[in-house]
Amino acid sequence: MNLRIKHLLGLENVPQEDINTILDTAFSFREVLERPIKKVPTLKGVTVVNLFFENSTRTRISFELAEKRLSADTINFSASSSSLTKGESLRDTIQNLFAMKMDVVVMRHPTPGSVKLLSQFVDAVVINAGDGTHEHPTQALLDMMSMKEKLGSLEGVNVAIIGDIRHSRVALSNIFGLKTMGANVLLCGPPTFMPYDVVSLGVKVTYNLDEALQFADVINVLRIQKERQGKGLIPSMREYRNVYGITQQRLSKLKRPLTIMHPGPINRGVEIDTDVADSEHSIILHQVLNGVAVRMSILFLLAGGR
Ligand code: CP
């Protein structure tokens, strides 16, 4: 059950065999999460430090829970209460932490590429929990696990990723992972939300939401990232909802159900309406549960658990 990768920095170059191993192992850990005692001794003696330089609910708590479920020792680092506020450099902060013998680091940071840089100067397993607008590989893995759970396979599945693609690390990791697994990916959103180099991603693109819905078995609806917007990319949130918002009225025109996904946090009434997000076809909360199992799987496989 060895992986070819030594760190999880992104999904761009992760082979299909590794993704299959991670997902299969995650399904085994899902069973542990259904037990009355949801804990195994697999990572006893392994120390994991969670470095979050950006806000997070799902990813941070999910990693912490996964580490506890595997019996690892967990350290939570908060940038706002650290010596970074006294002017210490990130490199010094991290080298001091690692002088205390950490085995695994999970990092979320607003700068694309920061996690790769970290992997070059620490002697530990590095896991990307989201680096700016670059990648969020564990989110894409939990998304793929949730699609596989619902549909049985990823091969040939039509996935439409809808919304703010340009600012979305979730979209990029999903594109890389889904392509590797043989799914068909279509991106949909306003032209101002498409990456400049969208052609190089090798996926279909449409600016027409109804066309995307016609194509899709699954829609993965992205959050409008208010904190990363430049000025004037969309006229207003109201206009965005009118043209690209996922509403029950729009879906009912299809006469067949779509699987509804969203990585969270949701802007209800903007990119997706509440009755769609909470409908019987939504697997949004399954994604959250699968997030714990996927993170257990990655920690186990990369940190050499038994
Ligand atoms: N999906 C996701 O990354 O959510 P958080 O920002 O809450 O971690």
Side-chain angles (χ1 to χ4, degrees):
M1 284 218 297
N2 287 338
L3 297 180
R4 295 207 196 150
I5 54 167
K6 299 291 167 233
H7 306 282
L8 183 64
L9 307 179
L11 290 188
E12 186 168 8
N13 297 310
V14 177
Q16 192 183 67
E17 305 84 79
D18 278 8
I19 294 179
N20 275 326
T21 304
I22 293 167
L23 298 185
D24 290 348
T25 310
F27 280 111
S28 305
F29 280 124
R30 255 293 295 273
E31 286 170 34
V32 173
L33 297 176
E34 309 292 346
R35 292 180 193 163
I37 296 174
K38 304 170 182 56
K39 200 169 171 107
V40 286
T42 315
L43 289 190
K44 227 176 168 75
V46 172
T47 307
V48 185
V49 57
N50 299 310
L51 298 175
F52 277 73
F53 294 92
E54 222 187 48
N55 292 342
S56 168
T57 299
R58 276 146 291 270
T59 312
R60 186 174 59 77
I61 291 175
S62 181
F63 265 112
E64 278 182 49
L65 198 55
E67 291 151 16
K68 288 184 201 311
R69 299 292 190 224
L70 293 171
S71 307
D73 295 318
T74 299
I75 309 292
N76 292 316
F77 170 88
S78 159
S80 60
S81 58
S82 75
S83 290
L84 284 168
T85 60
K86 301 178 201 163
E88 184 170 60
S89 72
L90 176 60
R91 188 175 179 141
D92 277 339
T93 299
I94 287 172
Q95 281 183 331
N96 276 273
L97 280 171
F98 279 86
M100 295 183 237
K101 305 287 180 205
M102 305 297 171
D103 301 301
V104 182
V105 54
V106 175
M107 185 163 94
R108 170 169 288 192
H109 197 281
T111 307
S114 50
V115 183
K116 182 168 185 191
L117 187 69
L118 176 72
S119 71
Q120 289 162 357
F121 68 86
V122 295
D123 181 20
V125 171
V126 175
I127 300 173
N128 186 357
D131 60 332
T133 54
H134 179 225
E135 281 220 44
H136 193 352
T138 59
Q139 178 69 45
L141 287 162
L142 74 87
D143 289 345
M144 287 192 282
M145 179 180 177
S146 305
M147 287 180 224
K148 202 170 170 187
E149 184 179 34
K150 172 87 183 182
L151 304 167
S153 167
L154 295 170
E155 178 82 43
V157 172
N158 291 340
V159 183
I161 304 177
I162 298 167
D164 187 359
I165 316 284
R166 184 189 290 183
H167 298 100
S168 176
R169 54 195 176 206
V170 175
L172 198 56
S173 287
N174 263 280
I175 292 166
F176 292 139
L178 286 166
K179 278 179 62 186
T180 302
M181 299 308 286
N184 306 310
V185 180
L186 171 72
L187 307 180
C188 176
T192 47
F193 277 176
M194 287 297 156
Y196 298 112
D197 60 346
V198 69
V199 174
S200 71
L201 295 172
V203 292
K204 299 183 178 78
V205 177
T206 180
Y207 306 114
N208 181 314
L209 179 58
D210 291 321
E211 202 175 294
L213 299 179
Q214 284 292 346
F215 161 87
D217 302 310
V218 178
I219 56 172
N220 199 348
V221 186
L222 302 175
R223 177 173 74 91
I224 299 293
Q225 303 205 13
K226 293 173 187 162
E227 74 278 22
R228 292 192 223 275
Q229 297 297 323
K231 280 207 165 68
L233 292 181
I234 47 172
S236 67
M237 293 295 163
R238 181 190 293 207
E239 176 129 343
Y240 182 83
R241 179 188 183 274
N242 287 342
V243 181
Y244 289 103
I246 307 298
T247 64
Q248 204 59 263
Q249 191 190 17
R250 208 163 212 146
L251 292 176
S252 62
K253 285 195 270 175
L254 285 175
K255 315 237 180 307
R256 69 185 166 92
L258 300 184
T259 298
I260 311 290
M261 301 178 68
H262 192 301
I266 301 175
N267 296 305
R268 287 174 185 264
V270 181
E271 69 265 4
I272 190 167
D273 276 5
T274 285
D275 53 356
V276 179
D278 299 341
S279 73
E280 60 178 320
H281 302 296
S282 164
I283 57 167
I284 293 171
L285 293 180
H286 289 265
Q287 290 173 260
V288 179
L289 174 62
N290 288 338
V292 180
V294 152
R295 287 165 180 130
M296 287 171 80
S297 165
I298 290 157
L299 288 160
F300 167 78
L301 291 166
L302 289 178
R306 282 170 225 291

